[in-house]
Each structure stands twice: as C-alpha cells, then as structure tokens.
Amino acid sequence: MASKENRRITDMGTLKALAHPLRMKLYRGLIVARVATASQLAEQVDEAVSLVSYHLRKLAEHGVIEEAPAQSADGRERWWQPASDGVSIRDEDFRGAPEKAAVYTAASRLFSEQRADLYRRYLDERAHWSPEWNRAAESSESAMRLTAGELSELVADMQALFKAYTERGRAAEEAGDTEGRENVAVHTYAFPFRV
C-alpha cells in the first residue's frame, strides 16, 4: 500500500465507530499488517470471524478502512486495508457541545488504555526479547517549560521524524530488507500540567 496522509477525524459518528475496543484493536492490526482478511484479524484478536467482519464493515462505513485488492487467487474472502496511514483526533473538533466533549474524552481514554496495555505486554515479555532489542527500547519523561506554540512546533517536528522513519522502513521492506525488522510502537503524550 502506498503511503497516504493521516486522516483527521472531525465527526462524532466516525469517532464513535473507532472508539470501540475491538474496532480499535482491528484498526491497529490493519495498520501493522497493511492488508488482512477478517479471518486473519479474528485470529489475532481471538474473536469469531463473523463478529470481526461486522466490525470491519462498520469501520469501512465511516471510511476508516477500505477494501484492498485481493492478495490471493481465493476470491472468497475480502481483504481490508487502512484508508490512510493513521488517524488524528483533536480536541478543538469536539468542543462545540458537552456530548462531543464526552465522546472525545471517552475515545482518548480508550486509546490511552490500549497503548498502556501494549506497553505493559512488552514489559511482561521483555525477557523474551534479545539484549539488542532491550537496549534499543526506550521509556522516558521530559518536563519542559514551553509556550503552546512551542509545544505545537515540537509535536509537528516529532510527527515529521516518525513519518520519515515509517517511510524508510516501508521502503526497505519493499526492497526485500526484512531481516531483523519488528513492529515498533512509539507513544508520545505532550500536555500541559501544573504542580
């Protein structure tokens, strides 16, 4: 799949569709796999294929995922792919009404919990990763004194760096350089706080 820009979600219907625990797991699975069938994803999330198919169709109804060209001669199963490289959800798009704010907050909490679960799983399985991978893995926290404008600039710089590495990894894989490559999650949270 060619690189596509992130999709900014601005409507409650799409946010509600994505802010479902199983749908978010399926979406994340598709981001990693790039293309997959409902059967393949059902195996990953340990759910029935019919349930996974239903949730994939709901994500497709909102344009979060789309049908992909068949990846095999067996035309009995639909192949799915993300409709973009990722999604972005911003507070400013959901401030207009209390219900919008509540949906945005609930979705943000779900995404945060799922990211934390992914990191906890790594911590639990760390002993099974090589010393090289454990040295490369990182967890840190930085406290800075910035303006809102400086924070926006920092986030844009980080996103550009992440995009460059994503494209570099995809290009290497497409060229056949797959040796030693693993899925890598990078989670960042940048927010103001007071002590």
Side-chain angles (χ1 to χ4, degrees), residues 84-96:
S84 61
D85 275 347
V87 294
S88 67
I89 303 159
R90 298 188 181 144
D91 173 75
E92 64 201 56
D93 296 322
F94 295 94
R95 284 186 172 231

Side-chain angles (χ1 to χ4, degrees), residues 78-195:
R78 290 167 114 177
W79 288 81
W80 297 97
Q81 66 187 10
S84 61
D85 275 347
V87 294
S88 67
I89 303 159
R90 298 188 181 144
D91 173 75
E92 64 201 56
D93 296 322
F94 295 94
R95 284 186 172 231
E99 182 187 0
K100 285 182 167 186
V103 169
Y104 172 77
T105 298
S108 297
R109 286 181 184 275
L110 170 70
F111 304 152
S112 176
E113 288 166 12
Q114 285 191 343
R115 290 176 190 137
D117 287 344
L118 188 61
Y119 184 61
R120 279 192 287 273
R121 192 172 89 201
Y122 161 72
L123 292 176
D124 292 343
E125 297 171 354
R126 185 169 28 194
H128 302 289
W129 287 96
S130 70
E132 179 183 35
W133 276 107
N134 279 301
R135 277 191 304 275
E138 190 266 343
S139 172
S140 65
E141 181 177 341
S142 298
M144 306 172 201
R145 299 272 304 159
L146 304 174
T147 65
E150 290 167 336
L151 178 56
S152 293
E153 187 179 335
L154 172 63
V155 170
D157 289 349
M158 289 189 309
Q159 291 298 323
L161 183 62
F162 299 157
K163 184 176 181 176
Y165 271 86
T166 298
E167 290 172 355
R168 180 171 142 183
R170 284 184 182 169
E173 274 195 313
E174 288 170 5
D177 179 7
T178 58
E179 184 69 30
R181 292 194 181 278
E182 297 285 353
N183 298 315
V184 174
V186 178
H187 300 162
T188 62
Y189 302 93
F191 52 90
F193 68 96
R194 293 187 177 119
V195 233

